């Protein structure tokens, strides 16, 4: 039930292909792909051409986190590049309902992302269009930031909404957390309601110090902390 999504933002981009293959071989369930545009967030990263390049290397889900505007123009490009899941921030889209529909029409699963200060009321009229809700544990833009503790209460509220919706409709929605997830806080984050955990610096930072090709021990440590739940 718990899934770990390795954020390649903290990987060694000079060896991106190996980094992706190694982290999946070490037990990561998903590859988390942070697309930043230097407008919506103050950083510039990777786009559909890089997604297309890593797609043939792995079978794992590619979880695209769009931090870029305009949202709609990028959806088809990422779908064609082999993304499985595309999430965006409501502030970055002119028409949230339309963007969510576009994602599913393009054959991907759809997610909505909440910054620390973005209220969950954006969920009110779109639950049926969601496969995933992603709560940020940090302000988006950079890896390696510290988890903002008030996110735990927000996760509880999001979990309650997901449960109520599931009871009413039978529809399952994943609840993902992104930013500041480490071995020492992942259990508390799971207790608050998350079932999918993005980890960037926790995985790629730890692995690189030991063996440049293996991330087994840190991923095992994350899972061990989760299993204490
Ligand atoms: C931040 C990104 C995250 C980032 C997480 O804007 O969306 O996915 O890579 O990095 P860590 O796990 O280091 O906080
Ligand atoms: Zn992300």
């Amino acid at each position: 039930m718990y899934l770990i999504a390795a954020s390649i933002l903290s990987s060694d981009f000079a060896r991106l292909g190996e980094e992706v293959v190694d982290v999946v071989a070490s037990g990561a369930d998903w590859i988390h792909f942070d697309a930043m545009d230097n407008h919506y967030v103050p950083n510039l990263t990777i786009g559909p051409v890089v997604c297309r390049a890593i797609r043939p290397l792995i079978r794992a889900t590619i979880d695209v986190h769009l931090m870029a505007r305009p949202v709609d123009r990028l959806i088809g490009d990422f779908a064609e590049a082999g993304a499985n899941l595309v999430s965006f921030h409501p502030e970055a889209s002119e028409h949230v309902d339309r963007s969510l529909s576009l994602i599913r029409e393009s054959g991907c699963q759809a997610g909505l992302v909440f910054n620390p200060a973005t209220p969950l009321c954006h969920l009110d009229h779109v639950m049926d269009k969601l496969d995933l809700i992603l709560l940020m544990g940090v302000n988006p833009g950079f890896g390696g930031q510290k988890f903002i503790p008030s996110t735990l209460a927000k996760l509880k509220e999001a979990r309650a909404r997901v449960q109520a919706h599931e009871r009413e409709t039978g529809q399952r929605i994943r609840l993902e957390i992104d930013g500041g997830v480490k071995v020492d806080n992942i259990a508390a984050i799971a207790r608050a309601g998350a079932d999918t955990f993005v980890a960037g610096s926790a995985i790629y930072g730890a692995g690189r110090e030991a063996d440049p090709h293996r991330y087994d021990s840190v991923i095992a440590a994350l899972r061990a902390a989760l299993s204490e739940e």
Side-chain angles (χ1 to χ4, degrees):
M1 147 189 189
Y2 291 135
L3 296 178
I4 293 179
S7 171
I8 53 174
L9 185 62
S10 291
S11 70
D12 177 358
F13 277 117
R15 303 188 298 110
L16 181 60
E18 282 171 50
E19 290 276 69
V20 165
V21 169
D22 292 346
V23 86
V24 171
S26 302
D29 299 297
W30 291 1
I31 291 297
H32 182 81
F33 190 108
D34 289 305
M36 306 185 188
D37 69 346
N38 190 41
H39 291 270
Y40 181 63
V41 288
N43 198 358
L44 182 64
T45 59
I46 46 179
V49 294
V50 176
C51 185
R52 188 186 304 278
I54 63 170
R55 178 69 282 179
L57 307 179
I58 44 151
R59 295 168 96 160
T61 290
I62 299 181
D63 168 33
V64 173
H65 174 192
L66 287 182
M67 289 159 275
R69 275 190 298 236
V71 167
D72 292 0
R73 229 207 52 71
L74 286 169
I75 292 169
D77 291 356
F78 270 109
E80 276 171 31
N84 303 96
L85 209 151
V86 177
S87 305
F88 64 95
H89 294 248
E91 300 90 339
S93 167
E94 303 291 338
H95 303 281
V96 170
D97 182 275
R98 176 181 288 149
S99 301
L100 289 171
S101 297
L102 272 175
I103 294 172
R104 283 191 172 167
E105 282 160 19
S106 73
C108 295
Q109 293 198 305
L112 203 54
V113 193
F114 291 80
N115 287 329
T118 303
L120 294 178
C121 61
H122 287 277
L123 291 171
D124 281 351
H125 309 287
V126 297
M127 289 293 276
D128 58 329
K129 294 205 143 93
L130 294 177
D131 300 293
L132 175 129
I133 296 166
L134 172 51
L135 297 200
M136 296 303 299
V138 301
N139 285 293
F142 303 95
Q145 302 180 77
K146 216 173 135 23
F147 186 79
I148 297 171
S150 61
T151 312
L152 293 176
K154 200 172 176 185
L155 273 169
K156 284 188 189 140
E157 195 189 326
R159 172 53 67 193
R161 283 176 179 253
V162 166
Q163 260 166 3
H165 185 74
E166 195 175 324
R167 266 198 305 274
E168 257 171 54
T169 65
Q171 185 199 346
R172 301 218 45 196
I173 300 175
R174 285 215 158 259
L175 183 52
E176 188 176 32
I177 178 80
D178 183 12
V181 176
K182 306 279 174 196
V183 172
D184 65 6
N185 65 7
I186 195 167
I189 292 169
R191 264 197 303 278
D195 55 34
T196 305
F197 307 84
V198 177
S201 53
I203 293 177
Y204 282 108
R208 209 176 292 147
E209 280 160 34
D211 173 341
H213 289 291
R214 297 313 301 192
Y215 299 102
D216 307 65
S217 50
V218 64
I219 292 174
L222 290 166
R223 286 201 200 282
L226 283 172
S227 71
E228 282 158 24
E229 262 327 280

